[in-house]
Amino acid sequence: MRVSKLPPYRLSDFRPQHVNLRDGEVPTLRCPECESWHSIKRSLLTPHYPQPGKRCSGSARHIVFDMTVEQWGAALVEGGLEAGARRSKQQFHKPAPPAGQPVHRMSHTAQMSPLERARQAIARHQADCKICSGGKRCRMPRILAQSEAGRAGLAALERALQAVARHRVACADCKNGQFCPMGFELAERMAWTEQTREDVVRRQVREQREEQSRERGRDRRIALRRASDWRRVERDVRRTDRERAQRPAGADCPNDHTNVPLEPIRF
Ligand SMILES: [Zn+2]
Ligand SMILES: [Zn+2]
Ligand SMILES: [Zn+2]
């Protein structure tokens, strides 16, 4: 692997939700250059190719692990709490979406993955929906998941809902019917992240194959060059071999030229 000569990435410089150091998972990082998730192996960000043959400059960057898993977890929870507090204080005066352009298709969301778009659209809806916040079954999240990310979106939403259900069983606040933004936020995020991780693994496999096939291609090119070099000199080599095999008739020792001087020559 060609290690990048560009400056290293320090994990503490990243937003905690752009880092994944969960126990038992391969550490991953959202590459700041191409904004997609990639694994960290041997303190290097796995090389990746956003377009075939075009290596991202975040590839094989050195990663400085300047925070512990605990510090990262704490930063993640803090960020979640702040977002929860912001959301509950917020006043909602929904601006009318511009005609002909659905809100979820606006430019800043254009580069997001379909699943992330679905997650955010659902979160926006739930912050504002009486049915959802009342714990009743609302049709909108499913509709949003489907429209933003299709079948994968529905599957991810299903997992998110199951994660919430699991959390509610274990959480005292939730059991007492108290609103628990933290538990909800975490459960929801975790389920969606799982799905994103599946995408990461799939992409890694594809990129590994790409790298391998590139290496195979290089080996093949070298072998072909060697073969053509050989073809070019083959006739000369064979002739030389033939001549070497012949000895002057009647001579035991064909070596009758003058000896090479072994003594240093002085002038
Ligand atoms: Zn990248
Ligand atoms: Zn709703
Ligand atoms: Zn809870």
Side-chain angles (χ1 to χ4, degrees), residues 112-156:
M112 272 191 283
S113 80
L115 278 174
E116 181 59 19
R117 269 205 315 267
R119 193 186 71 76
Q120 293 194 7
I122 292 167
R124 273 199 305 274
H125 163 82
Q126 285 179 329
D128 204 15
C129 171
K130 295 242 158 53
I131 306 174
C132 284
S133 59
K136 292 197 200 84
R137 227 178 148 78
C138 172
R139 286 165 51 236
M140 272 314 281
R142 288 183 63 80
I143 292 170
L144 288 169
Q146 165 105 57
S147 69
E148 293 291 355
R151 206 193 292 248
L154 280 177

Side-chain angles (χ1 to χ4, degrees), residues 49-68:
Y49 304 81
Q51 288 151 38
K54 198 164 182 294
R55 186 171 144 122
C56 174
S57 59
S59 289
R61 273 297 182 108
H62 238 288
I63 307 290
V64 181
F65 282 82
D66 58 349
M67 69 196 310
T68 64

